[in-house]
Amino acid sequence: MSDMLHQIEPMIPALRRYARSLVRNRAAADDLVQDCLERAVSHWDQRRDTGSPKSWLFAILHNLAVNQFRSVSARIQHVAIDEAGEHEIGQNADQEQKLMYQDVLAKLARLPDEQRAVLLLVAVEDLSYAEAAKVLNIPVGTVMSRLSRARERLQQELERPADHQQRNVVQLRSKP
């Protein structure tokens, strides 16, 4: 038994490194190494090569990982409804977010260049009024007034229905 431990123990760090590179998760890799070591200890007398067990241990680890990949991909993940979070149950459709994003970009593009530039520098790039004034080579007061007008105009644009929504409206009934 002590001979087996002396041969296996020095290889554990290398097995852990290999397992981590395979599964890319520390906890899962440690579980995989533990399963490998358990199998190696229980089948120690069945190994063919009586020399260094290095290749034998790595083969066990690799085969366990392959079997784990196969079983995970073939198995459907079941989660109890009480334990499931919002992410497991459902998620918002990305299409709607993309359409809203495109709509905001289109409405932002309708702003006058000087208002759009100030709005982007202050609201998106998080520059201070003084920094934006320096970038645009205008007074700070001008930045503040342009920003105010840009926000107001963008708000008005966002409150109006999108162009594609107006065009895609279909009347199901004719009005009497």
Side-chain angles (χ1 to χ4, degrees):
M1 179 75 149
S2 67
D3 180 49
M4 174 180 58
L5 291 177
H6 288 299
Q7 290 186 38
I8 292 177
E9 192 174 15
M11 288 183 227
I12 292 174
L15 290 169
R16 289 180 79 199
R17 276 192 305 273
Y18 184 61
R20 285 182 185 166
S21 70
L22 289 175
V23 296
R24 298 176 192 265
N25 178 306
R26 180 177 286 218
D30 288 344
D31 289 345
L32 192 61
V33 170
Q34 184 173 346
D35 291 345
C36 171
L37 294 174
E38 181 181 320
R39 187 164 291 185
V41 168
S42 65
H43 295 92
W44 183 255
D45 56 336
Q46 296 176 3
R47 63 190 177 97
R48 294 183 190 137
D49 186 14
T50 57
S52 174
K54 185 175 186 174
S55 61
W56 183 65
L57 287 170
F58 277 93
I60 292 171
L61 182 72
H62 182 81
N63 290 335
L64 286 171
V66 168
N67 291 341
Q68 185 179 35
F69 294 148
R70 286 180 186 151
S71 68
V72 167
S73 65
R75 183 177 60 220
I76 296 174
Q77 186 82 14
H78 293 282
V79 177
I81 191 102
D82 295 337
E83 297 172 8
E86 284 184 31
H87 184 69
E88 286 91 5
I89 294 174
Q91 57 189 9
N92 294 334
D94 290 337
Q95 299 90 337
E96 186 176 349
Q97 292 293 331
K98 289 178 183 175
L99 287 173
M100 287 180 6
Y101 176 73
Q102 290 171 349
D103 188 40
V104 169
L105 287 179
K107 290 177 178 182
L108 187 62
R110 290 186 193 145
L111 293 176
D113 291 340
E114 63 273 356
Q115 289 179 9
R116 185 174 55 248
V118 170
L119 184 64
L120 290 173
L121 289 173
V122 173
V124 177
E125 300 301 330
D126 205 26
L127 269 63
S128 68
Y129 293 166
E131 292 169 326
K134 191 174 182 179
V135 168
L136 298 171
N137 197 26
I138 57 175
V140 174
T142 305
V143 167
M144 293 168 59
S145 64
R146 284 182 186 175
L147 182 61
S148 175
R149 286 193 303 265
R151 285 178 173 161
E152 184 178 322
R153 187 162 176 184
L154 186 60
Q155 182 65 38
Q156 290 171 356
E157 289 284 336
L158 290 173
E159 288 172 356
R160 275 194 255 160
D163 290 340
H164 63 83
Q165 289 175 337
Q166 291 172 351
R167 280 183 266 141
N168 292 334
V169 173
V170 176
Q171 292 236 302
L172 297 177
R173 293 185 188 178
S174 60
K175 293 182 182 179

